[in-house]
């Protein structure tokens, strides 16, 4: 069923991607069939794919001129979206950001626009359902959907529609995006939270919708999961340093993991130094065992291990970024662009 048209609202859908040949065609088919306005466009900001992604998009655009392939020489997502808005955004009301690692309901864009119009929000963010296929990916998804892995993050768990400080980026008023200067391209990760900080500071409002949500597919083995959360930790530290703010309570607990692991090395001198590390390991494994028994989820113990990888990587990235910044001036927040 074709979604209902919302009059006089023009939307630019931007898909930043790099080597997404497995998913990009399905995404283009989905969103090209649900565009709200005749002038709506889908911009695929490609960071130099070598797996055939560019050929797929180019072929699709020959059949549907509303789909545009845009080269993103800086490669990272924040730069790709900034470039798309710089080149095409002037004639549009809203930006909808699509993650090539995700899946979306057919009425995703319609629900976002409806909520933006109804609430007057400058940004509409969504909750995520994390789903896996292989054994480790399923366990990682379970970890990311649990409080052990997400710390009670609203954009992971979802809630009734409400105003919020930060969430997973979905829709944004282009006037608000350009007013605060877009994404900070020095951030390869956590660029969404950094932009949300500037949006709120400039007086713009962020709405967590309960009308739709997305499905996210996590990393499928340990190494890329560790690298991803290492980068997340670095991004969070960089964000806090830039804006001279403090981490939230739910972030301060996993922050302690790397220091606790380092402190445990003193166990060669006294066994008590190992106790904090053992308590963290026991808490994680205990939670995994509880999921296996109480929730009858056989992936519970492996989910606990995945959560431990995420905790340790995130904490390590945070402290590496923090220590690496010592002796250098803190980054200065950009001034809003008129």
């Amino acid at each position: 069923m074709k979604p209902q048209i919302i009059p006089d609202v023009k939307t630019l859908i931007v898909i930043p991607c790099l080597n997404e040949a497995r998913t990009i065609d399905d995404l283009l088919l989905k969103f090209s069939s649900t565009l709200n306005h005749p002038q709506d466009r889908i911009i695929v900001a490609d960071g130099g794919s070598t797996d055939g992604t560019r050929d797929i998009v180019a072929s699709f655009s020959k059949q549907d001129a509303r789909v545009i392939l845009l080269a993103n020489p800086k490669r990272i997502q924040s730069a790709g979206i900034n470039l798309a808005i710089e080149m095409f955004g002037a004639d549009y009301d809203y930006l909808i950001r699509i993650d090539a690692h995700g899946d979306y309901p057919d009425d995703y864009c319609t629900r976002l626009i409806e909520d933006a119009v109804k609430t007057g929000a400058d940004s509409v963010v969504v909750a995520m359902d994390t789903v896996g296929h292989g054994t480790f990916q399923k366990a990682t998804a379970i970890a990311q959907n649990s409080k052990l892995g997400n710390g009670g993050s609203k954009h992971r768990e979802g809630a009734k529609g409400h105003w919020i400080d930060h969430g997973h980026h979905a829709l944004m008023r282009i006037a608000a995006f350009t007013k605060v200067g877009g994404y900070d391209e020095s951030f390869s990760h956590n660029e969404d939270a950094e932009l949300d900080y500037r949006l709120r500071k400039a007086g713009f409002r962020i709405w967590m919708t309960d009308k739709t949500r997305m499905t996210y597919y996590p990393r499928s083995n340990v190494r890329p999961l560790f690298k991803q959360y290492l980068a997340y930790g670095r991004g969070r530290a960089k964000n806090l340093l830039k804006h001279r703010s403090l981490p939230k309570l739910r972030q301060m607990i996993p922050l302690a993991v790397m220091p606790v692991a380092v402190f445990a090395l003193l166990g060669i001198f006294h066994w008590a130094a190992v106790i904090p590390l053992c308590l963290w390991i026991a808490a994680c494994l205990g939670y995994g065992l509880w999921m296996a028994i109480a929730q009858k989820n056989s992936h519970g113990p492996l989910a606990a291990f995945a959560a431990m990888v995420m905790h340790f990587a995130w904490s390590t990235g945070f402290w590496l970024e923090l220590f690496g910044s010592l002796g250098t001036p803190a980054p200065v927040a950009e001034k809003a662009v008129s």
Side-chain angles (χ1 to χ4, degrees):
M1 183 173 67
K2 192 171 181 63
Q4 183 178 355
I5 300 299
I6 303 172
D8 303 322
V9 173
K10 291 188 291 184
T11 306
L12 197 66
I13 297 175
V14 182
I15 310 176
C17 71
L18 177 64
N19 294 327
E20 300 291 353
R22 291 185 299 175
T23 59
I24 194 64
D25 192 54
D26 287 343
L27 288 174
L28 293 177
L29 283 169
K30 179 185 294 287
F31 290 111
S32 63
S33 65
T34 61
L35 293 177
N36 177 69
H37 191 281
Q39 294 182 33
D40 285 359
R41 295 291 180 269
I42 301 173
I43 311 297
V44 180
D46 184 82
S49 296
T50 56
D51 68 341
T53 299
R54 294 174 59 85
D55 294 335
I56 294 170
V57 178
S59 176
F60 201 103
S61 65
K62 289 179 182 178
Q63 304 169 38
D64 189 339
R66 300 172 302 172
V67 175
I68 299 171
L69 175 63
L70 177 66
N72 173 22
K74 295 182 180 178
R75 297 174 67 86
I76 62 173
Q77 293 184 348
S78 55
I81 297 170
N82 282 352
L83 182 60
I85 297 303
E86 179 184 346
M87 295 187 65
F88 301 99
D91 298 325
Y92 293 88
D93 301 297
Y94 294 113
L95 151 71
I96 293 180
R97 173 176 175 168
I98 297 299
D99 188 337
H101 280 288
D103 196 9
Y104 303 83
D106 292 340
D107 62 353
Y108 183 73
C109 294
T110 303
R111 295 290 170 253
L112 291 175
I113 297 169
E114 285 176 347
D115 242 16
V117 172
K118 178 181 177 181
T119 63
D122 301 292
S123 174
V124 178
V125 297
V126 295
M128 294 193 296
D129 293 317
T130 308
V131 175
H133 295 295
T135 300
F136 185 77
Q137 191 180 47
K138 286 181 180 179
T140 302
I142 292 166
Q144 292 180 352
N145 286 330
S146 73
K147 283 185 169 60
L148 181 65
N150 64 46
S153 171
K154 293 294 186 183
H155 77 268
R156 288 286 186 181
E157 296 190 336
K160 186 175 176 60
H162 62 286
W163 298 105
I164 197 170
D165 290 340
H166 166 60
H168 185 80
H169 281 188
L171 174 147
M172 198 174 302
R173 194 183 304 276
I174 289 178
F177 181 88
T178 56
K179 180 72 175 179
V180 300
Y183 287 113
D184 183 338
E185 296 178 11
S186 69
F187 283 71
S188 63
H189 293 73
N190 209 234
E191 77 282 353
D192 52 353
E194 193 282 324
L195 177 56
D196 282 348
Y197 182 96
R198 285 185 283 122
L199 283 171
R200 298 193 319 275
K201 188 175 180 181
F204 296 113
R205 300 186 301 163
I206 303 168
W207 176 257
M208 166 71 79
T209 183
D210 59 354
K211 300 298 189 296
T212 191
R213 54 201 298 138
M214 68 164 290
T215 300
Y216 176 77
Y217 300 102
R219 300 301 188 263
S220 57
N221 58 64
V222 174
R223 183 180 176 85
L225 180 67
F226 183 89
K227 290 177 65 177
Q228 180 187 34
Y229 274 78
L230 187 76
Y232 282 166
R234 282 187 174 276
R236 175 56 63 179
K238 189 171 183 178
N239 193 354
L240 297 179
L241 287 167
K242 176 176 178 178
H243 296 293
R244 297 175 176 85
S245 56
L246 295 173
K248 297 179 179 178
L249 178 61
R250 66 178 179 82
Q251 296 165 342
M252 295 179 73
I253 297 173
L255 271 183
V257 172
M258 196 272 278
V260 160
V262 172
F263 183 69
L265 297 176
L266 297 177
I268 59 175
F269 302 109
H270 196 286
W271 60 269
V274 184
I275 291 177
L277 180 64
C278 291
L279 289 174
W280 168 66
I281 294 173
C284 291
L285 294 179
Y287 194 97
L289 185 61
W290 172 81
M291 287 193 288
I293 297 173
Q295 299 182 352
K296 297 181 180 179
N297 192 323
S298 61
H299 291 91
L302 187 57
F305 171 73
M308 290 167 66
V309 171
M310 293 187 290
H311 291 172
F312 183 73
W314 194 90
S315 179
T316 300
F318 185 96
W319 291 110
L320 286 175
E321 184 68 27
L322 190 65
F323 290 139
S325 70
L326 295 177
T328 61
V332 178
E334 297 88 344
K335 294 182 180 179
V337 178
S338 301

